Amino acid sequence: MSEIQVRAAQAGEYGAVQAVFGGAMMFDPKPDELWQQLFEPDRALVATDGGQIIGTTRALTRELSVPGAVLDAAHVTGVGVQPTHRRRGVMSQLIGRQLREVPEAIAVLWASEPAIYGRFGYAAAAWGVEYTVDLHRVGPSNDRIRPGELGVLSVDEALKELPAILRRLQTQRSGVSGRSDLRWQARLQDKPDDRGGRTERRILVHRDETGSIDGYALWRGKMAWGPTGPASEVSVEELVAPELPAYKALWQHLLTMDLSAKLTYEYAAVDEPLQQLVTYPTALERRLGESLWLRVTDVQRALQQRRYATPLDVVLDVTDNLIESNTGRFRLTADGSSVRCERTDDPADLSLAVTELGATYLGGRSLSEFATTGRVAEHSPGILTHTTAAFGWPIAPVSIEVF
Ligand SMILES: CC(C)(COP(=O)(O)OP(=O)(O)OC[C@H]1O[C@@H](n2cnc3c(N)ncnc32)[C@H](O)[C@@H]1OP(=O)(O)O)[C@@H](O)C(=O)NCCC(=O)NCCS
């Protein structure tokens, strides 16, 4: 049998890497200058067989909001193995090496299938909710919109205005990925081939009373007619409005679009405020799924980099089958202003695998949830409840973009 080699990608290999990923995911990659510029060859790994690339994984340099902070997080993407080479351990080699090499203390990804990444210590850390909204039933609140309150922007204007609003969302919610200028340009590209029969992308914005833009929605429409009349569809691709007046006005506008019967939105949080603002929340048909998966690659650094909801002093006994330096006991203390995480020989209060640390890192899942199935064990009475409260966070995490 031929021997598989794993190595870093080279600068000229973007096309070959995309071809393998496209082959694995069943799409035909098209040349794209902006996405090519975002390729970080030194952060991509390829598996080769006889010199041919047959497997890939990539890490993107991006920031992520976590409880009380915004951190560097390896954004893992482009994981694929050519169908002729599957189930021979190629992905395991690629992911294992990637996780041991990334300099960031956490890695995140969106999984095509939930069964793939748990074995590598990843866990779903944020749920996502897909809405399919029956616009005839939903009944949004009917507040008046001030003249000039809503408007549309060109892409050039949006490139100047929208980044600051996304950064504000990062201070409010965990799980939100940062975007460089180049990534914003790629995000706002609107190629006819990518529209799926829908209109051009509209960039709707809200202005506060001083005229400053404080919220936006990226959306498209699709004209349709049903047996009883107009039945157009509104697809909301992204809606970012950290302040309530902007949030309400943008949703009200989108939920009351003339001729429309249906609205879709794929990136709602489990505690999305929209549920409180409509008359019939059941008209928001909601489908829950895993969104952001998170893997702690450096336990000490990761636990020290986030903030905690209550003061804490706990010894965690952590196991990690892939990254040896993560295995052992760590004392984690937090007192509101500072956080420390240090190795210790003291007896453990809780024992758990690195997977459960990933699941609870964004504050959206609870340590107690995992104690019910034995994945977290309590050794000091009462400490589980206390640590669960400290790891939790008042606002649910959300990831608003598949990367
Ligand atoms: C998912 C994929 C990358 C796996 O590659 P691979 O080289 O076959 O994986 P490995 O041989 O290293 O598999 C390791 C283990 O994961 C399991 N596994 C792999 N893919 C799986 C899947 N889709 N669902 C469930 N288990 C899976 C294997 O059975 C194996 O289990 P074992 O250790 O108990 O035998 C490959 O099948 C692929 O390219 N799929 C399509 C693209 C895709 O979904 N990529 C992920 C994007 S997020």
Side-chain angles (χ1 to χ4, degrees):
M1 214 163 68
S2 53
E3 202 177 322
I4 307 293
Q5 311 273 349
V6 172
R7 62 167 172 81
Q10 290 157 13
E13 288 184 323
Y14 177 70
V17 165
Q18 276 299 88
V20 170
F21 181 55
M25 296 293 287
M26 294 195 202
F27 74 94
D28 294 326
K30 300 191 190 83
D32 185 310
E33 209 184 302
L34 284 172
W35 288 108
Q36 181 155 358
Q37 284 181 55
L38 287 164
F39 178 52
E40 300 177 63
D42 51 330
R43 306 208 65 191
L45 292 174
V46 295
T48 59
D49 181 4
Q52 290 278 334
I53 297 178
I54 50 87
T56 74
T57 182
R58 299 164 55 192
L60 308 170
T61 305
R62 297 182 72 172
E63 291 182 332
L64 186 83
S65 54
V66 305
V70 176
L71 310 180
D72 289 333
H75 281 54
V76 171
T77 185
V79 179
V81 172
Q82 201 165 280
T84 49
H85 286 69
R86 286 195 184 144
R87 308 301 180 263
R88 288 165 54 184
V90 175
M91 170 183 69
S92 304
Q93 281 193 59
L94 288 165
I95 298 283
R97 177 163 159 184
Q98 181 179 53
L99 286 172
R100 283 188 285 263
E101 287 183 354
V102 290
E104 296 92 340
I106 55 172
V108 288
L109 54 76
W110 276 76
S112 60
E113 293 186 282
I116 301 177
Y117 293 102
R119 73 191 69 239
F120 302 114
Y122 278 96
W127 303 119
V129 186
E130 285 183 27
Y131 286 168
T132 304
V133 185
D134 178 347
L135 293 177
H136 293 141
R137 288 191 57 78
V138 70
S141 67
N142 228 354
D143 296 354
R144 277 195 177 285
I145 308 262
R146 279 184 287 111
E149 198 175 346
L150 294 176
V152 292
L153 293 190
S154 68
V155 170
D156 285 347
E157 290 165 331
L159 287 170
K160 292 192 201 98
E161 298 284 351
L162 306 194
I165 302 167
L166 186 68
R167 282 197 294 273
R168 276 216 294 286
L169 181 67
Q170 286 189 299
T171 64
Q172 191 181 68
R173 281 215 189 250
S174 297
V176 180
S177 301
R179 290 187 190 140
S180 64
D181 290 348
L182 194 60
R183 193 162 292 284
W184 266 107
Q185 285 177 44
R187 179 70 185 90
L188 294 179
Q189 281 193 110
D190 185 17
K191 296 186 172 172
D193 280 358
D194 298 336
R195 291 179 191 153
R198 296 167 300 156
T199 63
E200 293 175 2
R201 181 184 294 118
R202 323 281 196 216
I203 305 174
L204 175 71
V205 293
H206 178 267
R207 289 191 166 79
D208 67 15
E209 274 160 11
T210 69
S212 300
I213 293 173
D214 61 354
Y216 69 87
L218 309 179
W219 70 279
R220 300 175 194 275
K222 185 172 184 181
M223 187 170 72
W225 301 89
T228 57
S232 295
E233 293 180 18
V234 175
S235 320
V236 180
E237 296 179 338
E238 183 164 309
L239 190 146
V240 176
E243 268 70 64
L244 184 61
Y247 182 88
K248 275 175 83 169
L250 291 166
W251 273 120
Q252 180 171 333
H253 182 78
L254 294 163
L255 292 172
T256 54
M257 202 69 71
D258 286 346
L259 308 179
S260 299
K262 179 173 137 182
L263 177 146
T264 57
Y265 178 55
E266 293 181 15
Y267 302 103
V270 285
D271 57 358
E272 191 67 40
L274 186 62
Q275 299 165 119
Q276 299 178 51
L277 299 177
V278 297
T279 317
Y280 286 95
T282 45
L284 307 171
E285 191 189 317
R286 283 159 278 187
R287 199 159 71 86
L288 183 74
E290 297 88 5
S291 70
L292 201 68
W293 290 66
L294 193 147
R295 208 298 180 185
V296 171
T297 51
D298 181 332
V299 167
Q300 194 171 354
R301 212 156 31 105
L303 291 180
Q304 203 158 284
Q305 282 178 325
R306 60 157 285 188
R307 294 292 165 261
Y308 297 87
T310 64
L312 181 66
D313 184 355
V314 64
V315 174
L316 302 172
D317 190 7
V318 181
T319 47
D320 187 334
N321 297 332
L322 207 59
I323 304 175
E324 214 175 299
S325 55
N326 280 336
T327 291
R329 269 170 279 158
F330 298 86
R331 178 176 288 281
L332 175 64
T333 51
D335 65 5
S337 59
S338 67
V339 179
R340 292 185 70 158
C341 183
E342 285 165 347
R343 283 198 169 273
T344 181
D345 293 326
D346 292 345
D349 295 315
L350 291 177
S351 39
L352 72 179
V354 75
T355 318
E356 284 67 65
L357 284 182
T360 53
Y361 192 76
L362 297 179
R365 297 185 71 181
S366 100
L367 285 168
S368 296
E369 170 190 340
F370 293 103
T372 60
T373 52
R375 288 168 57 175
V376 171
E378 182 184 46
H379 310 297
S380 309
I383 197 86
L384 177 62
T385 305
H386 189 69
T387 313
T388 296
F391 271 64
W393 205 247
I395 306 279
V398 72
S399 175
I400 59 165
E401 168 196 345
V402 180
F403 49 83

